[in-house]
Amino acid sequence: MNYKRKKFILKQYINQSCLLWLFMLFYFNSFGQSINQFKIDNYNINDSIKGVLNYEYYLKNKDTVLSGKFNFQSTKETENSNYQYETLGFLGDYQNNNRTGNWQFVQKRLNTSNQTQISNYDVLVSTNGIEHQVNAKFNNGTAEGNWSVVNLNFANSIPKDTVFQTYASFKGDNMVGNLQALSEDFKIRGSFNSEGLLDGDWLIVHNYSDQKIEEIKRFENGIFKGNFFKINGKTFEVVYEGFATEFDSDKEAWVEIGLRDGYFDIFNINIKKIKEKNFPSNINFEEITNQSNEFMEHVLLSFGYYNNLDLWSTIPGKNNIRFGKFKVKKFAYSEADSVALQNIKKKYNVIVESINSFFINKKLKASMASNLQLNRINAILKVYKDESNQFEDLLSKVVDDAFQYVDRSIIINQIYPKINFSSSGIYQFQDQQINLDRNFPAVSEGSNFSLTDVSDLVDAVYDDVQRQNGLLNIILSESQKQEFLSDFENELFANKEKIISSFSISNQSDDYNSYHFNMSEEVIRFTNNLIADYTNLTIDDKKITIETYNTCLNQLSFLWDELVEFDKKAKRLDEEYTRISFNPFLMADISERLKERVYRAYEEHLLPYALNDIKDNLSCETLEGKIENLDMIYNRMMNIRDNDTKFEEANLRREKDVEKIMEVLKLNLN
């Protein structure tokens, strides 16, 4: 091979090598990520659940991106008499902050058994209890594939029997295809269409008093079509009045809702009856339909909720999962209906609370023996109380959000109460029997009732009850008022002693921290001056202002608690803004402050400003807002922890002015 040929081949080789090197460099810069592992020993997934979190991640533009294993485990002792320990955990994988592959949520309630084993130097104790499992699958953050939920009992750490299980399929965050569920009392089999709407016949098999009953709930593209029972070879239909079951031309009135929107509450509001005669008298059809509704709701929501814990919103990642969808017709409220409904909601609870508070007031009962007017008020309110079941049944349905999904022109006539506010009652005072002889609110008779009729009745009852409350305020004697004041003063002086003791530098409590110490002198001086101001007031002024003084001292007690919590939050912020990495050259863990300028602005300027603002400007009028400033600062620091803060850090360089720091961090403190 001649010299030119060799030179050409060498040059070609070098060019190819350079191209390959450039390609590899581009590939690793673009796609290659260094996966890191991190552990948090005291991680909160909500306000009440703390545990150990291990996860894998990589950094992208200094932001943490979850990618790889995610494992959260919580164990706590309980005060429940039925079990000693409760464990809870999530296990799965992330890819670019999205849940992917198999995931599992497991919760166990445990008691230790008497069986123990020795393994080397460890003593192993067996447990008894119940386990709840949710087995899920995700694809790029979306619910996909076959899911299951299982509840099982175990003894001596060995599974014994399954008490509940259900299986369903998901696609595109919707339940699709078939669902099956089994418990000790029910079996369910049903299906969803491709859009996640319940579709076709849902078969529920009841074990009712050792009798097998088949119930069918029929759906068509999410629309409820009918409810049937099969008993001893006969079919019975449950008719719901006021429930739209036929899709009509008013398309815009039909909406999709889920179980969390109160779907089955619509069935509770509706009047239901058996269409056919000779329904078995030993079977309460309303009871078993309510039970099957509750079980269906439990089955569908079990894939995403446990004891009101929203499973897939509790951990990082998007959550658009729908656990079954329904189509219902919404009967729009007219303007008059809306006004009436707001009035009912506003006054309904006041009526109930006023009547109940009267009859549980022991002091008023003790005064009735010597007060004629008080006995008359008791007789009047008793008339309302005696009719309260019908009245409350009507109002509870009217104010329910599900009421907008029933045909009110049909339902309200059926639930409108047949109340008789009898005015001919007799009440007793000492040895006298006295005729009540008064006019109560008139109750409409006939049909075609409306929400306005209900509102008018509520108005009349409300006004009368308020009149009785007004008379009660007049009846209260000066001695009773003084007794009332004495109770508040006992609370006031107890609060004073508590605050002074808590903030005193001699406090040896584990919760006492530097924040308490720095505010001790000012808080104690302010408290003593506050009590001195109160003691110099006249008795009439004390009656007017006692609650204000107590509220102020309660705010000081809250300040103590908030400083305890903020001490923990400050430590958590320190952890969140600290990265610990292993230095192979030093063979040691090295701490690195993240977002250093942001954290320095918080630590050296914002926090001292907020704390000094509380200490130097103690005031009953502003204390609550200034305490809120601590939470606002903490929440803002947590919110921007994972954000891109290049702009903030550039503007915080050498910045010491608190006003400008707040402007940069978008904080508007009280």
Side-chain angles (χ1 to χ4, degrees):
M1 186 179 297
N2 59 37
Y3 172 75
K4 290 183 179 180
R5 178 64 174 166
K6 290 180 179 179
K7 184 177 180 181
F8 172 78
I9 293 173
L10 179 60
K11 183 177 180 180
Q12 190 178 38
Y13 174 76
I14 292 172
N15 288 339
Q16 290 175 345
S17 299
C18 289
L19 286 172
L20 180 61
W21 182 82
L22 288 171
F23 173 77
M24 292 175 65
L25 181 64
F26 170 78
Y27 178 84
F28 283 107
N29 281 340
S30 302
F31 304 102
Q33 304 291 351
S34 175
I35 299 297
N36 305 296
Q37 295 180 341
F38 198 74
K39 178 181 179 182
I40 303 176
D41 290 322
N42 196 18
Y43 182 78
N44 290 351
I45 62 171
N46 67 11
D47 293 337
S48 61
I49 301 175
K50 298 180 180 180
V52 178
L53 174 63
N54 290 277
Y55 65 92
E56 296 180 337
Y57 70 98
Y58 66 83
L59 292 178
K60 183 177 182 181
N61 298 326
K62 296 186 179 180
D63 290 330
T64 299
V65 179
L66 295 175
S67 202
K69 299 294 182 185
F70 181 96
N71 188 352
F72 173 83
Q73 298 296 327
S74 169
T75 301
K76 68 176 182 180
E77 294 187 42
T78 73
E79 298 178 357
N80 191 299
S81 59
N82 296 321
Y83 52 91
Q84 299 167 277
Y85 302 96
E86 182 175 8
T87 70
L88 181 151
F90 289 90
L91 180 63
D93 291 283
Y94 279 94
Q95 183 175 354
N96 299 326
N97 277 340
N98 289 318
R99 290 186 288 270
T100 188
N102 294 325
W103 273 79
Q104 187 177 65
F105 166 79
V106 177
Q107 192 265 5
K108 297 186 182 78
R109 294 175 178 177
L110 311 169
N111 287 310
T112 56
S113 69
N114 295 325
Q115 291 192 8
T116 58
Q117 293 181 347
I118 306 297
S119 176
N120 293 327
Y121 299 100
D122 297 324
V123 178
L124 306 179
V125 181
S126 297
T127 58
N128 305 321
I130 186 167
E131 178 177 6
H132 176 83
Q133 295 180 7
V134 180
N135 302 294
K137 287 187 178 181
F138 292 90
N139 180 20
N140 196 30
T142 301
E144 298 279 348
N146 297 326
W147 288 38
S148 66
V149 181
V150 178
N151 285 2
L152 53 88
N153 294 323
F154 55 92
N156 295 320
S157 301
I158 299 174
K160 289 296 183 183
D161 51 0
T162 300
V163 295
F164 171 80
Q165 55 187 321
T166 180
Y167 304 91
S169 298
F170 285 79
K171 185 175 183 180
D173 280 334
N174 284 321
M175 290 177 137
V176 296
N178 297 325
L179 176 143
Q180 295 186 46
L182 175 66
S183 74
E184 295 175 340
D185 298 318
F186 296 96
K187 291 181 183 178
I188 284 185
R189 185 175 70 247
S191 60
F192 307 86
N193 66 14
S194 59
E195 297 177 0
L197 294 159
L198 276 75
D199 198 37
D201 284 356
W202 280 64
L203 174 65
I204 303 106
V205 180
H206 299 253
N207 291 326
Y208 181 80
S209 300
D210 297 326
Q211 183 177 1
K212 180 180 177 182
I213 299 174
E214 290 189 355
E215 180 184 2
I216 294 173
K217 296 184 190 292
R218 183 165 295 161
F219 297 89
E220 184 179 303
N221 294 324
I223 299 175
F224 174 73
K225 304 296 289 185
N227 191 179
F228 307 91
F229 287 103
K230 291 186 177 180
I231 304 172
N232 299 327
K234 295 181 180 180
T235 300
F236 302 89
E237 181 178 0
V238 183
V239 178
Y240 293 84
E241 300 188 26
F243 204 133
T245 59
E246 296 294 334
F247 191 77
D248 54 29
S249 58
D250 191 7
K251 295 181 180 180
E252 293 184 359
W254 289 84
V255 295
E256 285 187 6
I257 66 172
L259 291 170
R260 300 286 286 186
D261 301 314
Y263 176 73
F264 280 118
D265 292 340
I266 306 172
F267 290 80
N268 296 333
I269 289 175
N270 266 282
I271 305 298
K272 45 186 174 283
K273 59 185 179 182
I274 296 292
K275 184 177 181 180
E276 293 79 14
K277 297 179 180 179
N278 301 322
F279 188 83
S281 59
N282 64 324
I283 298 175
N284 185 331
F285 81 92
E286 290 198 38
E287 178 186 13
I288 58 178
T289 52
N290 290 339
Q291 288 174 350
S292 63
N293 289 344
E294 291 173 3
F295 186 67
M296 275 186 69
E297 182 170 1
H298 169 70
V299 168
L300 297 179
L301 291 181
S302 68
F303 292 92
Y305 296 87
Y306 181 74
N307 284 351
N308 291 321
L309 180 65
D310 186 346
L311 301 182
W312 308 115
S313 292
T314 298
I315 56 176
K318 62 184 181 181
N319 181 21
N320 300 315
I321 310 173
R322 299 294 299 273
F323 301 101
K325 297 187 295 185
F326 306 85
K327 273 187 181 177
V328 292
K329 185 173 183 179
K330 190 173 184 178
F331 294 84
Y333 290 115
S334 67
E335 184 175 350
D337 284 344
S338 297
V339 171
L341 193 59
Q342 287 301 113
N343 183 61
I344 294 167
K345 288 182 177 180
K346 178 181 177 181
K347 295 180 178 177
Y348 163 55
N349 288 330
V350 176
I351 293 171
V352 174
E353 289 171 7
S354 296
I355 294 173
N356 289 341
S357 64
F358 177 86
F359 285 104
I360 64 173
N361 191 320
K362 294 180 180 178
K363 294 179 181 178
L364 289 176
K365 286 184 178 180
S367 302
M368 285 177 62
S370 59
N371 193 299
L372 173 62
Q373 184 67 25
L374 197 56
N375 280 266
R376 180 175 174 81
I377 294 172
N378 178 77
I380 292 169
L381 295 182
K382 188 175 184 302
V383 170
Y384 289 125
K385 191 172 189 297
D386 290 343
E387 298 291 343
S388 62
N389 286 340
Q390 286 193 75
F391 193 59
E392 289 185 31
D393 182 59
L394 165 69
L395 297 186
S396 64
K397 289 178 178 178
V398 167
V399 300
D400 196 306
D401 289 340
F403 200 59
Q404 63 189 313
Y405 301 119
V406 297
D407 189 341
R408 293 180 293 280
S409 64
I410 298 175
I411 292 298
I412 202 165
N413 288 318
Q414 308 236 18
I415 64 175
Y416 201 87
K418 296 176 176 59
I419 293 175
N420 178 24
F421 291 137
S422 175
S423 59
S424 59
I426 295 175
Y427 63 96
Q428 189 164 343
F429 176 66
Q430 295 177 354
D431 58 350
Q432 306 176 55
Q433 286 193 331
I434 304 171
N435 290 322
L436 185 56
D437 192 23
R438 77 184 300 267
N439 292 323
F440 281 93
V443 181
S444 301
E445 296 181 359
S447 58
N448 298 321
F449 298 113
S450 66
L451 281 176
T452 303
D453 294 318
V454 179
S455 179
D456 290 344
L457 177 59
V458 169
D459 274 336
V461 175
Y462 174 85
D463 290 342
D464 197 15
V465 170
Q466 289 301 92
R467 276 194 294 272
Q468 307 313 312
N469 283 335
L471 292 172
L472 279 174
N473 292 331
I474 297 172
I475 292 171
L476 288 172
S477 67
E478 191 65 28
S479 60
Q480 288 173 314
K481 292 180 181 178
Q482 182 59 54
E483 183 181 352
F484 170 81
L485 181 61
S486 298
D487 291 341
F488 275 98
E489 285 187 342
N490 290 337
E491 180 184 351
L492 184 75
F493 291 111
N495 279 339
K496 171 204 168 186
E497 295 304 321
K498 175 185 175 184
I499 291 164
I500 292 176
S501 173
S502 297
F503 276 93
S504 172
I505 59 175
S506 61
N507 188 343
Q508 300 297 314
S509 166
D510 291 338
D511 289 331
Y512 192 86
N513 58 50
S514 60
Y515 303 130
H516 298 119
F517 178 82
N518 291 333
M519 292 191 188
S520 172
E521 185 177 345
E522 285 75 10
V523 170
I524 292 174
R525 183 188 302 115
F526 179 78
T527 302
N528 284 326
N529 289 341
L530 195 71
I531 297 299
D533 289 342
Y534 173 79
T535 56
N536 290 328
L537 296 174
T538 66
I539 188 168
D540 288 334
D541 287 339
K542 285 179 179 179
K543 292 174 185 176
I544 296 171
T545 60
I546 182 68
E547 292 191 54
T548 302
Y549 279 90
N550 262 326
T551 299
C552 189
L553 291 185
N554 286 333
Q555 284 294 327
L556 288 171
S557 293
F558 179 69
L559 173 61
W560 159 268
D561 296 332
E562 182 66 17
L563 293 176
V564 172
E565 290 303 312
F566 192 80
D567 188 48
K568 301 173 184 176
K569 291 177 179 179
K571 291 173 182 176
R572 183 179 176 191
L573 279 178
D574 181 53
E575 292 176 356
E576 291 291 325
Y577 279 80
T578 301
R579 181 189 298 132
I580 300 176
S581 57
F582 181 73
N583 189 317
F585 298 102
L586 299 177
M587 297 298 290
D589 289 336
I590 303 297
S591 296
E592 174 189 358
R593 177 67 72 197
L594 302 175
K595 304 181 187 294
E596 185 173 359
R597 289 177 187 166
V598 172
Y599 191 83
R600 190 187 304 125
Y602 148 76
E603 185 177 42
E604 297 179 3
H605 302 292
L606 268 182
L607 181 57
Y609 168 81
L611 293 170
N612 288 332
D613 192 29
I614 295 174
K615 180 178 71 172
D616 298 338
N617 299 293
L618 281 171
S619 163
C620 293
E621 290 75 22
T622 62
L623 182 57
E624 182 178 5
K626 296 191 182 301
I627 294 174
E628 287 177 358
N629 289 342
L630 295 176
D631 282 334
M632 291 168 66
I633 292 172
Y634 171 78
N635 291 334
R636 183 60 182 148
M637 290 294 293
M638 290 298 291
N639 288 340
I640 63 175
R641 161 63 181 82
D642 295 325
N643 294 347
D644 185 350
T645 56
K646 291 178 182 177
F647 170 80
E648 286 85 352
E649 294 189 75
N651 284 275
L652 290 173
R653 185 178 185 183
R654 298 194 184 92
E655 186 58 70
K656 297 181 180 179
D657 188 296
V658 174
E659 295 293 335
K660 291 183 179 179
I661 291 172
M662 288 193 290
E663 182 180 346
V664 171
L665 296 181
K666 299 178 181 178
L667 269 170
N668 185 21
L669 300 183
N670 297 307

